[in-house]
């Protein structure tokens, strides 16, 4: 009697493969969304911080330009130094400087000694005085924004302010932790969902595998009954039909063999 080879078992379980695939997809999707959230939060914060710096710069410029125009440098310096006193205990504003027309620092609100007078021109101050456009510099710990102060057609000085980027770092860390937590929850949820879905697939497949192994061993077994109403049900019905036809074929061959053996025995007895 012809026997079929038993199919070799695969090294990995289908349940584990489906679980791993769905978990990886869920975690990857959450990480991608979290990445976009980080980029969006960073862009929004930078825009808001730049707007705050420009508003502060405009306020100081309006308050100090008349004093600079009339060479009342002490009054202009006091306006900037008052900002340092008002925000000394806060971490949002970290720098405010007033420059003379030659680029030297006239007042530094957050310096240890607010009565600042430098003999050498400041590089950033010279850059501000060289053009009447707003200059923005992003550093690792702060945003620096500055511009020249113009009264009529005359440049009377320049201002620069620095705002801390620490709130951005705190917000990004919070968003990152939320993303990692969401990825963990998504992984757990996908594992549970994948287990449920994969078992609904693998259980009928196990029945088909068992029936196939029984058929390979010459045991006809019982018909497979599946009510999944999908392709697995169609496969089970086709298997049952094949099993019945094969059973009838084998039974017919066995009957023909017996009849042939009986005919040969009668012929030999007559001879």
């Amino acid at each position: 009697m012809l026997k079929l080879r038993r199919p070799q078992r695969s090294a990995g379980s289908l349940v584990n493969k489906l679980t791993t695939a769905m978990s990886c997809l869920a975690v990857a999707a959450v990480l991608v969304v979290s990445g976009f959230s980080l980029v969006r939060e960073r862009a929004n914060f930078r825009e808001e911080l730049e707007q705050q710096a420009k508003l502060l710069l405009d306020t100081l410029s309006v308050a100090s330009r008349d004093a600079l125009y009339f060479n009342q440098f002490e009054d202009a310096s006091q306006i900037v130094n008052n900002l340092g006193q008002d925000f000394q205990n806060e971490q949002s504003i970290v720098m405010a400087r007033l420059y003379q027309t030659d680029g030297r620092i006239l007042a530094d609100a957050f310096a240890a000694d607010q009565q600042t007078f430098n003999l050498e021109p400041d590089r950033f101050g010279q850059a501000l005085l060289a053009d009447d456009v707003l200059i923005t510099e992003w550093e690792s710990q702060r945003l620096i924004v500055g511009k020249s102060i113009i009264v009529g057609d005359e440049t009377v000085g320049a201002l620069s302010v620095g705002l801390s980027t620490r709130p951005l770092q705190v917000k990004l860390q919070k968003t990152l932790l939320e993303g990692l937590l969401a990825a963990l929850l998504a992984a757990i949820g996908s594992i549970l969902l994948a287990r449920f879905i994969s078992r609904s697939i693998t259980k009928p497949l196990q029945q088909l595998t068992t029936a196939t192994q029984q058929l390979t061993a010459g045991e006809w077994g019982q018909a497979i009954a599946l009510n999944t109403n999908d392709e697995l049900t169609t496969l089970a019905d086709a298997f049952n039909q094949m099993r019945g036809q094969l059973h009838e074929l084998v039974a017919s061959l066995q009957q023909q063999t017996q009849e042939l053996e009986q005919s040969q025995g009668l012929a030999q007895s007559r001879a």
Side-chain angles (χ1 to χ4, degrees), residues 17 52 71 159 219:
K17 291 180 180 178
Q52 293 176 9
N71 295 326
L159 270 170
E219 301 175 1

Side-chain angles (χ1 to χ4, degrees), residues 29-260:
V30 172
L31 291 179
V32 169
V33 173
S34 299
F36 281 117
S37 298
L38 289 174
V39 173
R40 186 180 66 252
E41 289 287 345
R42 182 181 180 86
N44 292 339
F45 181 86
R46 287 171 69 98
E47 183 178 357
E48 293 176 0
L49 200 63
E50 287 181 358
Q51 292 177 355
Q52 293 176 9
K54 292 176 183 177
L55 179 60
L56 178 61
L57 197 64
D58 291 338
T59 302
L60 290 176
S61 177
V62 171
S64 60
R65 64 183 180 182
D66 289 341
L68 290 173
Y69 181 76
F70 292 105
N71 295 326
Q72 297 173 354
F73 299 124
E74 291 185 2
D75 294 341
S77 300
Q78 188 62 38
I79 294 173
V80 176
N81 291 332
N82 288 339
L83 180 69
Q85 295 174 359
D86 294 339
F87 291 89
Q88 185 175 7
N89 296 326
E90 297 186 15
Q91 297 180 352
S92 56
I93 303 176
V94 295
M95 189 190 80
R97 290 177 178 175
L98 180 65
Y99 304 92
Q100 291 182 330
T101 54
D102 56 2
R104 289 181 297 175
I105 299 176
L106 182 62
D108 190 342
F110 292 87
D113 183 8
Q114 291 185 344
Q115 301 298 325
T116 302
F117 183 80
N118 292 332
L119 296 177
E120 297 295 331
D122 182 75
R123 178 192 62 81
F124 191 66
Q126 288 180 321
L128 295 176
L129 293 165
D131 204 344
D132 59 352
V133 298
L134 185 73
I135 296 180
T136 301
E137 287 188 0
W138 281 95
E139 298 181 355
S140 59
Q141 300 295 330
R142 62 183 181 177
L143 163 67
I144 301 177
V145 177
K147 69 175 184 179
S148 58
I149 302 175
I150 301 176
V151 179
D153 295 333
E154 181 181 353
T155 301
V156 296
L159 270 170
S160 67
V161 295
L163 300 184
S164 174
T165 59
R166 180 174 177 78
L168 172 61
Q169 298 172 1
V170 174
K171 184 178 292 187
L172 291 180
Q173 290 177 356
K174 181 180 178 181
T175 304
L176 179 60
L177 291 177
E178 291 176 351
L180 294 176
L181 179 60
L184 178 61
L185 295 177
I188 295 175
S190 62
I191 289 174
L192 297 177
L193 181 60
R195 288 284 178 177
F196 174 77
I197 295 176
S198 59
R199 288 188 185 281
S200 65
I201 297 174
T202 56
K203 186 175 180 180
L205 290 178
Q206 288 175 353
Q207 295 180 8
L208 288 170
T209 301
T210 302
T212 303
Q213 291 174 349
Q214 291 176 350
L215 186 61
T216 303
E219 301 175 1
W220 299 107
Q222 296 180 351
I224 301 175
L226 295 180
N227 297 318
T228 56
N229 296 323
D230 53 17
E231 289 80 1
L232 292 174
T233 301
T234 303
L235 179 60
D237 293 340
F239 180 84
N240 291 331
Q241 184 178 2
M242 181 197 68
R243 182 190 61 82
Q245 293 176 352
L246 186 60
H247 190 191
E248 293 177 358
L249 177 60
V250 171
S252 176
L253 290 175
Q254 290 177 347
Q255 183 177 359
Q256 292 177 7
T257 301
Q258 291 177 358
E259 292 177 355
L260 181 59

